[in-house]
Amino acid sequence: MMAMPYTLAQPVQYELEVKHSRFLALASPVTSPDAALAFLREVSVADATHNCWAYRIGQEYRSSDDGEPAGTAGRPILAAIDGQGFDQVMVVVIRWYGGIKLGAGGLVRAYGGTAAECLRTAPRHELVYYCQAGVDCPFDELGLLHSALENHQGEKLSEHFTEQGVQLQIRLPAAQLSALTLRLRDGSRNRITLTCDESVNAR
């Protein structure tokens, strides 16, 4: 699955009543599974009937039905996160049973719908994905390198001088990597080399 482009700008909540059962969705931006589970501990209500949840953090995701029939709560919440185009988000949907059974389909609609509506109108923060790269540059190409880094939003992380030139570690938006590589290759006639690190982080 491709990473989603947005996270939440702030924690949000949304409440819905379905056949006397009360559903309260609470959603928060999170950057790690530990942060997601910490949010769960923070907002769970001990005397509620169920505290169901799901999170998506890049390729990592988990969900829980918390005692509801399998697949009727956690997965619909996760589907709502993905369907609304979010990443780095945890959603907890708390249910207080109202005395009328909803059936499997009703539960899927209630949990998924509450989560989706909570996220649909929430303020969004666009995620920018960054990658790191190593650059080897001769001394007489430093002007080209610094100009290219500035134009492609590159940030210098470290710098090491050698007899031949400079070795840099840089960070830049992943979307800029191909254009920067092409500019350095063509502008220096292959004298500047760029080696990309596989790791990509969002912020």
Side-chain angles (χ1 to χ4, degrees):
M1 158 167 187
M2 291 183 64
M4 299 297 182
Y6 294 97
T7 189
L8 288 168
Q10 62 192 47
V12 291
Q13 65 182 58
Y14 175 79
E15 190 169 331
L16 180 70
E17 186 173 307
V18 182
K19 294 184 179 179
H20 304 299
S21 278
R22 179 182 164 212
F23 292 85
L24 174 64
L26 301 126
S28 178
V30 292
T31 55
S32 69
D34 286 345
L37 297 178
F39 179 72
L40 172 65
R41 290 191 295 270
E42 178 186 329
V43 302
S44 290
V45 177
D47 63 356
T49 317
H50 303 279
N51 292 275
C52 304
W53 55 270
Y55 67 73
R56 158 79 64 192
I57 304 168
Q59 300 301 313
E60 292 188 70
Y61 60 90
R62 275 185 63 193
S63 64
S64 169
D65 298 310
D66 191 37
E68 293 282 30
T72 62
R75 275 191 227 159
I77 296 169
L78 181 62
I81 294 171
D82 292 344
Q84 292 296 319
F86 279 99
D87 189 8
Q88 299 190 3
V89 165
M90 169 69 157
V91 180
V92 181
V93 180
I94 303 166
R95 180 191 183 192
W96 289 266
Y97 180 56
I100 300 174
K101 292 186 176 181
L102 303 183
L107 289 172
V108 168
R109 288 189 294 273
Y111 279 103
T114 306
E117 190 61 23
C118 180
L119 296 172
R120 186 180 68 81
T121 58
R124 294 169 178 244
H125 167 70
E126 187 171 6
L127 286 168
V128 178
Y129 290 86
Y130 286 84
C131 62
Q132 293 188 22
V135 181
D136 284 302
C137 178
F139 286 117
D140 58 352
E141 298 287 2
L142 281 174
L144 167 65
L145 175 60
H146 288 131
S147 173
L149 289 179
E150 183 176 349
N151 289 336
H152 295 281
Q153 302 168 49
E155 175 188 357
K156 184 167 63 175
L157 300 178
S158 67
E159 185 175 53
H160 174 67
F161 290 93
T162 67
E163 291 184 4
Q164 291 75 35
V166 181
Q167 295 175 334
L168 300 178
Q169 281 292 317
I170 62 169
R171 176 171 54 214
L172 75 161
Q176 296 282 339
L177 181 62
S178 294
L180 175 64
T181 302
L182 189 64
R183 180 169 180 188
L184 293 178
R185 186 192 70 192
D186 291 352
S188 71
R189 297 176 298 283
N190 288 322
R191 296 181 67 219
I192 300 177
T193 59
L194 187 149
T195 307
C196 185
D197 188 335
E198 288 296 322
S199 64
V200 176
N201 298 304
R203 62 182 186 181

